[in-house]
């Protein structure tokens, strides 16, 4: 799994760092299917379930050749995205261990079918931008700023670090989410921007390193929500 999906607008320092380590990048293309701030966000168009991507039809035609060239396993979702919430969150679900977490009222039916085939338990949360607001550390641990997500996960004995809201940029909005500014790559959590400027930096660092993982971030630009960094 040496392929990474991320926004075509991700910072060049992040892209160059990943390329220098031998990863192939599949850049998610901007569409007019959703509003501009999230229009090239991987987690708006893609959902990863046990190594298979379920991809919104709006994006699939733009990256299908690249997916096939890199031998990525994928299937097409059944829902075309709508411009505004909640019709733009169809694919913003997150797999964490044996759970699929999302506002299940709006999850793409193909994702739900795949999840049931794989034996995943579906955990409903009210936060529709679920993956945006989840940094998944491992199968039993996650970071979020959403109290509702935290409560649901803790009820399943998942270790959750609650962090303060904000401190992540998203063009056109007061703030973005840390989940959308990060991703797990092999044995590290990589952040798009300067994690050390986050007020909860020490807690985040300790939480991740206590699970035997490393952190990588880039001090010379602010944390920015780019719609997650998704490794296949």
């Amino acid at each position: 799994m040496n392929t990474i999906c991320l926004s075509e607008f991700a910072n060049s320092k992040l892209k160059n760092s990943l390329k220098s380590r031998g990863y192939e990048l599949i850049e998610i293309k901007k569409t007019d299917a959703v509003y501009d701030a999230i229009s090239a966000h991987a987690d708006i168009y893609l959902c990863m379930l046990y190594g298979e991507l379920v991809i919104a039809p709006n994006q699939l035609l733009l990256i299908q050749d690249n997916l096939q060239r890199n031998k990525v396993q994928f299937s097409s979702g059944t829902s075309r995205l709508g411009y505004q919430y909640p019709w733009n969150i169809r694919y913003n679900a997150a797999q964490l261990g044996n759970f699929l977490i999302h506002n299940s009222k709006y999850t793409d039916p193909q994702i739900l079918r795949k999840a049931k085939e794989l034996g995943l338990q579906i955990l409903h949360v009210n936060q529709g931008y679920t993956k945006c607001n989840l940094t998944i550390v491992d199968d039993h641990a996650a970071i979020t700023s959403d109290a509702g997500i935290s409560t649901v996960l803790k009820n399943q004995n998942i270790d959750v670090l609650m962090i303060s809201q904000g401190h992540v940029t998203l063009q056109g909005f007061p703030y973005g989410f840390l989940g959308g500014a990060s991703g797990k790559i092999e044995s590290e959590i990589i952040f798009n921007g300067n994690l050390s400027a986050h007020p909860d930096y020490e807690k985040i660092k300790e939480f991740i390193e206590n699970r035997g993982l490393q952190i990588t971030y880039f001090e010379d630009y602010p944390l920015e929500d780019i719609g997650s960094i998704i490794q296949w």
Side-chain angles (χ1 to χ4, degrees):
M1 296 176 70
N2 67 339
T3 303
I4 293 173
C5 300
L6 79 175
S7 170
E8 65 175 324
F9 303 124
N11 192 285
S12 61
K13 293 185 184 298
L14 169 62
K15 290 182 184 179
N16 290 337
S17 174
L18 293 170
K19 289 176 183 176
S20 72
R21 289 190 272 169
Y23 292 108
E24 294 289 333
L25 303 187
I26 296 179
E27 297 192 10
I28 302 306
K29 306 302 181 185
K30 177 178 179 177
T31 79
D32 59 4
V34 297
Y35 59 81
D36 194 58
I38 59 171
S39 60
H41 281 201
D43 58 23
I44 289 297
Y45 300 100
L46 316 178
C47 179
M48 175 77 84
L49 297 176
Y50 278 131
E52 180 175 332
L53 292 173
V54 181
I55 305 175
N58 314 64
Q59 183 68 212
L60 181 55
L61 289 175
L62 301 176
I63 62 171
Q64 186 166 342
D65 289 347
N66 210 349
L67 293 166
Q68 291 171 337
R69 184 167 56 253
N70 285 283
K71 297 182 172 56
V72 175
Q73 292 181 317
F74 67 90
S75 61
S76 176
T78 59
S79 308
R80 295 188 69 82
L81 291 169
Y83 193 77
Q84 295 285 2
Y85 186 93
W87 312 115
N88 58 14
I89 62 165
R90 296 289 203 177
Y91 298 84
N92 201 240
Q95 183 193 345
L96 194 164
N98 293 320
F99 301 105
L100 179 75
I101 308 151
H102 199 216
N103 185 323
S104 56
K105 292 187 293 184
Y106 303 108
T107 312
D108 175 71
Q110 173 72 351
I111 294 175
L112 294 176
R113 279 197 295 270
K114 285 281 183 184
K116 290 173 183 176
E117 287 173 9
L118 293 166
L120 298 177
Q121 181 180 341
I122 295 168
L123 296 182
H124 174 81
V125 295
N126 290 328
Q127 170 61 268
Y129 294 109
T130 312
K131 179 61 189 75
C132 297
N133 210 329
L134 264 179
T135 298
I136 295 170
V137 177
D138 61 28
D139 287 350
H140 308 284
I143 301 168
T144 187
S145 63
D146 187 278
I149 291 176
S150 177
T151 297
V152 169
L153 296 187
K154 285 180 177 179
N155 286 342
Q156 299 296 329
N157 296 315
I158 293 167
D159 197 4
V160 180
L161 175 65
M162 271 290 292
I163 59 171
S164 52
Q165 203 166 62
H167 313 288
V168 179
T169 66
L170 179 63
Q171 187 175 10
F173 286 83
Y175 56 85
F177 298 117
L178 191 66
S182 61
K184 185 177 183 181
I185 308 296
E186 308 298 344
S187 60
E188 68 179 308
I189 309 296
I190 188 165
F191 294 88
N192 178 50
N194 186 12
L195 181 67
S196 66
H198 194 286
D200 298 318
Y201 168 67
E202 292 296 340
K203 291 194 297 183
I204 294 167
K205 182 174 183 287
E206 181 181 16
F207 188 80
I208 292 170
E209 290 181 344
N210 281 348
R211 282 153 186 81
L213 301 175
Q214 299 176 327
I215 61 170
T216 297
Y217 57 90
F218 302 88
E219 292 185 345
D220 45 354
Y221 64 95
L223 279 172
E224 181 183 4
D225 185 337
I226 55 168
S228 302
I229 302 161
I230 300 174
Q231 182 183 16
W232 182 84

